[in-house]
Amino acid sequence: MKRNKSKRNRAVIGGQWGDEGKGKIIDVLMEDADINVRPTGGANAGHTLCVNGKKYVLHLVPSGIVRPSTMNVMGNGMAIDPRSLCEELRVLSEAGIDWKGRIKMALNANLVMPEHFVIEAARESGKGAVGSTMRGMSPCYTDRTARIGLIVNDLLNPKLLAEKLERNLEEKRFILEHFGKRWVKRVMKHERLQHGRFYSNDGFFNLKEIVAAYTGYGRMLERLITDTDTYLREQLGKASMVFEGAQGFVLSLDYGSYPDVTSSDPGIEGLMKGAGLPVNAAGKVYLVLKAPAITRVGKGSFPTEMGGNRSAEWCESHKQADEELRWPSPNINSRDEMEQGVAVRRLGGEYGATTGRPRRCGWFDAPLARRAFEVNKGTLILTKLDVMSSCKTLRICTGYIYEGPRIRWGETELRKGTSISTAITREEVLAYCNPQYIEMPGWRDDISKTWTWRGLPRRCKQYVARIEELVGSEVSGLSVGPDREAMIWR
Ligand code: GDP
């Protein structure tokens, strides 16, 4: 391991709806760190790193893997699909990354099993669909709280795996009866379910096949499986760690815009719990925010969305190729906000790393950032500052006016016209929040090659100062491009 004088730890948290560019920040911080810990989430999240012009998309493996001589830990809060992990390791090997001996996976992390994909497909076929990524995350985490979940360590014990699986499947069979054999059989033809190999006419699931396949994964992954909680506790003070947030704070199950949230807590508490460490072991906390444009993937309220509902509907039902046909060269200064949103998406490459879905784009939302800061504290890192360089006028949402039906919110009552300065991140409120904007002039110069604070245009510095003032925390880092070098520390 590298020698790091300070041995300080750092945590990187997304302050919005995910995709804030955390992967790049983690990669930069790992330059002088020993251990990268990914405590929560699963293959539904994706980080994209650019190293020497080469692009790496990671879903489960921590971003630090691209830095030789780092240790990479997958923590107990993760939901791990062993099939996806084996595939990711294969891709890393092909890319020439030597990961052997550099990854540890928590024996007590949650295990994503075949039934989780089927149950997710069942849920997504109904009204309650939340636009999930179909990676089995939500049913996996549900099983944990229902106390019928499996853990990674079960991959090493075939008998235990079979027993736990049998118990786990009991309830699922009742649910799947409702959908019928034909439906289940069709869903189970999916390649993630080994093209029907796991299907059985008798009770839907072929236990023998599943146990054989999953103990096979166990054999491939056995060298990674260990008690990471103890390992990380032992390393405290000896090694410097970077804790890697997956998704963004506003998607937190505990604090986010429920119910359109993810199944874990990407905030600081969730992160440290998923690493098996106390919150005060996090060290310095960085809250990563995209600015001037933010994004959201999937369903749910997005007060500052450029183009409002039109944009939401478009993004739900179209692909990047459709968009390129409809808007061959969108204008970032268009008076049509929908087109402006398309231009931001194109300039920022805002298409999901895991799903390829177009991300909905909107203006920087200070009430939302204030909420993220209130809970996580830390200093701010602004990313993608280069994307809107050619935009003449930048808007910042400074507060909301509530426009919905009367609703009691604890001891206060929200009614039409109520001002909200820190976002109430629950769908029943956020859905009726009308953003109030200020406008600032854009800087018009390309800043993607400006890697010093002094070199930034005056208007860009004024913009950053305004964000600091509105969120109530200092900006300690600015990212002005995808590459490692395109980073300004203050
Ligand atoms: P994460 O999940 O928060 O790591 O974010 P993603 O990986 O989904 O999305 C970030 C994307 O933006 C990746 O393609 C990065 O290479 C890219 N990126 C990160 N920081 C910057 C930046 O400052 N400017 C630009 N133009 N791209 C960036």
Side-chain angles (χ1 to χ4, degrees):
M1 271 180 199
K2 274 171 285 166
R3 290 184 48 210
N4 180 309
K5 277 179 248 141
S6 62
K7 293 294 167 214
R8 65 189 171 148
N9 294 343
R10 288 157 295 176
V12 177
I13 290 172
Q16 290 149 342
W17 276 291
D19 309 314
E20 296 91 351
K22 299 174 295 294
K24 172 203 159 155
I25 304 301
I26 292 152
D27 177 53
V28 169
L29 296 179
M30 281 308 291
E31 187 178 5
D32 62 357
D34 306 309
I35 305 176
N36 186 191
V37 189
R38 163 88 191 270
T40 62
N44 55 340
H47 288 315
T48 313
L49 311 178
C50 287
V51 183
N52 300 330
K54 213 169 160 186
K55 217 171 172 183
Y56 298 93
V57 181
L58 300 169
H59 299 292
L60 289 162
V61 176
S63 311
I65 200 70
V66 298
R67 296 241 183 219
S69 80
T70 56
M71 180 54 82
N72 295 274
V73 174
M74 300 163 66
N76 72 55
M78 286 190 77
I80 291 168
D81 167 14
R83 193 200 65 96
S84 299
L85 180 57
C86 289
E87 173 60 17
E88 205 165 314
L89 295 176
R90 191 188 60 76
V91 172
L92 284 174
S93 296
E94 267 178 23
I97 294 176
D98 183 14
W99 53 266
K100 293 205 173 103
R102 297 206 294 122
I103 303 178
K104 291 183 189 292
M105 170 163 58
L107 58 83
N108 50 345
N110 310 282
L111 199 58
V112 180
M113 296 293 292
E115 66 274 22
H116 296 138
F117 298 113
V118 186
I119 291 294
E120 193 159 24
R123 282 189 194 157
E124 289 297 307
S125 67
K127 264 192 182 167
V130 292
S132 104
T133 50
M134 296 298 278
R135 292 289 194 284
M137 294 294 105
S138 161
C140 171
Y141 281 115
T142 307
D143 279 359
R144 180 193 180 105
T145 34
R147 292 170 293 168
I148 52 168
L150 281 76
I151 58 171
V152 163
N153 196 60
D154 297 332
L155 295 174
L156 304 176
N157 300 289
K159 196 161 163 275
L160 194 61
L161 179 73
E163 280 166 20
K164 285 194 181 183
L165 190 57
E166 185 50 56
R167 195 168 12 156
N168 182 285
L169 292 177
E170 261 172 43
E171 213 175 82
K172 312 245 172 358
R173 291 194 177 109
F174 280 114
I175 299 169
L176 296 178
E177 284 295 344
H178 171 76
F179 288 85
K181 277 186 185 163
R182 271 180 57 194
W183 184 89
V184 178
K185 193 171 179 180
R186 187 164 48 80
V187 168
M188 289 183 78
K189 289 228 166 88
H190 198 283
E191 53 107 1
R192 269 181 227 151
L193 292 151
Q194 302 214 353
H195 307 284
R197 182 180 159 203
F198 296 153
Y199 177 78
S200 163
N201 254 328
D202 179 20
F204 302 120
F205 297 95
N206 187 329
L207 223 76
K208 230 172 120 189
E209 288 289 347
I210 297 175
V211 172
Y214 278 68
T215 46
Y217 294 133
R219 280 192 295 278
M220 284 190 256
L221 299 170
E222 64 186 344
R223 282 168 190 267
L224 278 56
I225 302 172
T226 184
D227 178 357
T228 58
D229 290 4
T230 302
Y231 169 74
L232 290 174
R233 267 199 307 276
E234 285 170 358
Q235 291 300 317
L236 271 183
K238 291 187 202 155
S240 72
M241 306 181 195
V242 173
F243 302 99
E244 165 174 349
Q247 289 127 344
F249 177 72
V250 192
L251 289 173
S252 165
L253 176 69
D254 302 300
Y255 297 100
S257 51
Y258 195 92
D260 295 313
V261 292
T262 192
S263 304
S264 54
D265 173 23
I268 189 66
E269 294 154 7
L271 223 60
M272 298 316 289
K273 185 167 168 283
L277 293 172
V279 173
N280 63 10
K284 192 171 169 78
V285 177
Y286 290 111
L287 194 61
V288 183
L289 301 168
K290 258 199 270 211
I294 69 172
T295 57
R296 174 163 202 176
V297 172
K299 267 181 54 177
S301 297
F302 185 0
T304 64
E305 183 163 14
M306 296 173 186
N309 288 343
R310 253 174 86 207
S311 157
E313 282 161 23
W314 172 267
C315 291
E316 192 171 340
S317 51
H318 292 85
K319 290 256 149 65
Q320 185 170 0
D322 305 326
E323 203 160 90
E324 282 167 7
L325 269 181
R326 169 74 179 76
W327 285 278
S329 42
N331 178 4
I332 189 83
N333 291 306
S334 169
R335 287 199 183 169
D336 175 9
E337 272 222 339
M338 172 81 193
E339 183 178 344
Q340 235 181 345
V342 176
V344 172
R345 195 147 54 237
R346 196 75 56 81
L347 288 167
E350 299 291 5
Y351 299 89
T354 303
T355 58
R357 279 192 272 189
R359 295 172 180 156
R360 299 156 66 192
C361 296
W363 294 106
F364 186 85
D365 185 330
L368 206 69
R370 277 198 282 268
R371 173 76 179 129
F373 177 65
E374 180 175 83
V375 178
N376 298 289
K377 299 296 178 213
T379 64
L380 313 181
I381 292 182
L382 301 185
T383 59
K384 295 217 158 180
L385 213 61
D386 54 305
V387 168
M388 291 187 77
S389 285
S390 50
C391 190
K392 286 184 194 153
T393 307
L394 302 172
R395 302 175 91 187
I396 304 177
C397 166
T398 53
Y400 304 141
I401 300 291
Y402 179 78
E403 299 287 2
R406 279 181 188 215
I407 177 173
R408 282 280 307 273
W409 199 252
E411 60 279 7
T412 58
E413 187 178 69
L414 304 176
R415 58 178 83 182
K416 275 198 174 65
T418 306
S419 302
I420 297 176
S421 64
T422 299
I424 298 172
T425 42
R426 296 291 293 204
E427 262 305 298
E428 57 266 47
V429 176
L430 209 57
Y432 300 105
C433 286
N434 205 355
Q436 304 300 297
Y437 292 109
I438 55 164
E439 291 188 345
M440 292 189 77
W443 38 90
R444 311 286 296 277
D445 305 305
D446 175 13
I447 56 168
S448 62
K449 297 282 177 297
T450 311
W451 300 343
T452 61
W453 174 252
R454 276 182 57 198
L456 286 176
R458 185 174 48 87
R459 284 176 172 174
C460 180
K461 290 181 187 166
Q462 284 168 344
Y463 179 87
V464 173
R466 202 59 191 263
I467 299 277
E468 288 182 315
E469 193 185 300
L470 287 167
V471 182
S473 178
E474 60 168 15
V475 171
S476 54
L478 302 149
S479 173
V480 293
D483 289 311
R484 281 176 179 167
E485 298 72 25
M487 190 74 212
I488 301 170
W489 293 103
R490 292 169 77 197

